[in-house]
Amino acid sequence: MTPMEFRVWVGWRATSLHGQVGWGRFIEALSKTFIPATWMVMPRYGLRAYLPSVTQADPPQGCPEETALLIYDTRANYERHKATVGGRGYGQMHGALFSFDAPGLSRSGWASPAGADPDQKSRLPSWFWNGTDPTLGLDSPEASVVFFMVGHAAAPVSKETAAALYRSLEYTDGQVVLCPTAGFTLAWVAVANPVAPAHAFATRLAAVLPEAQVHSQHVTRDAHAEGDYLEGPDVQVAVSDQMSLRFLKARAASPEDA
């Protein structure tokens, strides 16, 4: 399995987008600008796969309204992007759409390998596990990805908690990313058959968390977007409540494919 770095994002609408009308404007901005721009700009800085999810307006238990898993070649490529003009513009686009003040504290962070201590600078600790089947990666076109979000009462955020949550899934075949926070937990699971385990994973994980409720669970839809397919004034990505997408960078052909 090719080495990769996972970055998790959680977002809440800016105050100016609150209310039912604001939610519609938020979804429109995600569809027409934010999600397309991310996929057009970031692959040149090492983004290999992009898995954005919309949950719902004002979800219970303080859960985020939009999340994403971003898979990069290296952290260095991402940091290089932040220092560019495009990187500064991309950051300002976040500021126009998302809240960065409590309680809607939008933020992101790198995932640590299973069993490792989290980055002390991270505002959003998360962990990843590689599965026993190398074809079931979160960026593998051969795999499907199950996303789910569980809200819960206060729980410790630690590598031990993450390990216990991973064991609760009773699954080791595919790659997994878990983001356990004090009040909600996010998960991305690479599977061969997306239908049967989608509900089972969320139910198992919720069973080991206090006062837990499953608020989102769905299989990502591949966007089949290559290159600058989003060029043009009227192009947009279909986005709606309770939806996850997956954008994959085309892989270079191997000598065996020639």
Side-chain angles (χ1 to χ4, degrees):
M1 188 172 290
T2 307
M4 62 191 77
E5 297 282 355
F6 301 96
R7 191 168 183 85
V8 175
W9 157 264
V10 295
W12 290 261
R13 286 173 288 165
T15 304
S16 60
L17 296 173
H18 283 186
Q20 184 175 357
V21 173
W23 179 253
R25 290 168 52 205
F26 179 67
I27 293 296
E28 182 180 32
L30 289 175
S31 173
K32 292 185 175 180
T33 304
F34 187 82
I35 290 176
T38 298
W39 189 241
M40 286 189 71
V41 173
M42 297 309 293
R44 71 191 65 186
Y45 297 102
L47 182 64
R48 290 164 43 171
Y50 174 42
L51 292 76
S53 297
V54 176
T55 59
Q56 65 187 75
D58 302 314
Q61 298 179 285
C63 291
E65 297 174 315
E66 196 260 354
T67 76
L69 178 67
L70 301 99
I71 304 176
Y72 286 90
D73 291 330
T74 66
R75 296 190 188 190
N77 279 338
Y78 172 82
E79 296 299 334
R80 180 170 60 87
H81 156 72
K82 289 175 63 178
T84 67
V85 172
R88 294 192 293 274
Y90 186 62
Q92 289 177 353
M93 184 172 65
H94 280 73
L97 196 57
F98 294 98
S99 169
F100 291 89
D101 298 313
L105 184 61
S106 302
R107 59 198 186 275
S108 61
W110 294 107
S112 303
D117 291 324
D119 185 343
Q120 293 302 310
K121 297 180 180 179
S122 178
R123 298 180 300 160
L124 190 67
S126 53
W127 285 264
F128 71 88
W129 290 257
N130 290 320
T132 57
D133 187 339
T135 68
L136 296 182
L138 290 162
D139 70 334
S140 299
E142 300 87 357
S144 296
V145 176
V146 173
F147 166 79
F148 58 91
M149 178 176 74
V150 178
H152 49 77
V157 178
S158 66
K159 62 182 179 182
E160 291 79 14
T161 298
L165 294 175
Y166 177 71
R167 289 193 297 271
S168 77
L169 299 178
E170 301 177 13
Y171 177 77
T172 59
D173 293 351
Q175 214 166 39
V176 175
V177 171
L178 292 176
C179 177
T181 77
F184 60 85
T185 295
L186 308 175
W188 292 265
V189 183
V191 297
N193 177 3
V195 178
H199 175 73
F201 286 142
T203 301
R204 291 171 191 162
L205 187 140
V208 299
L209 287 166
E211 301 175 35
Q213 288 183 292
V214 179
H215 297 303
S216 294
Q217 52 181 349
H218 28 89
V219 179
T220 58
R221 294 170 48 186
D222 284 339
H224 301 296
E226 299 297 341
D228 287 337
Y229 87 111
L230 293 167
E231 289 186 347
D234 300 319
V235 178
Q236 59 184 334
V237 175
V239 177
S240 63
D241 292 22
Q242 298 295 2
M243 173 186 284
S244 290
L245 298 171
R246 183 173 65 159
F247 297 80
L248 292 176
K249 187 176 180 180
R251 295 183 176 182
S254 64
E256 291 78 9
D257 295 331

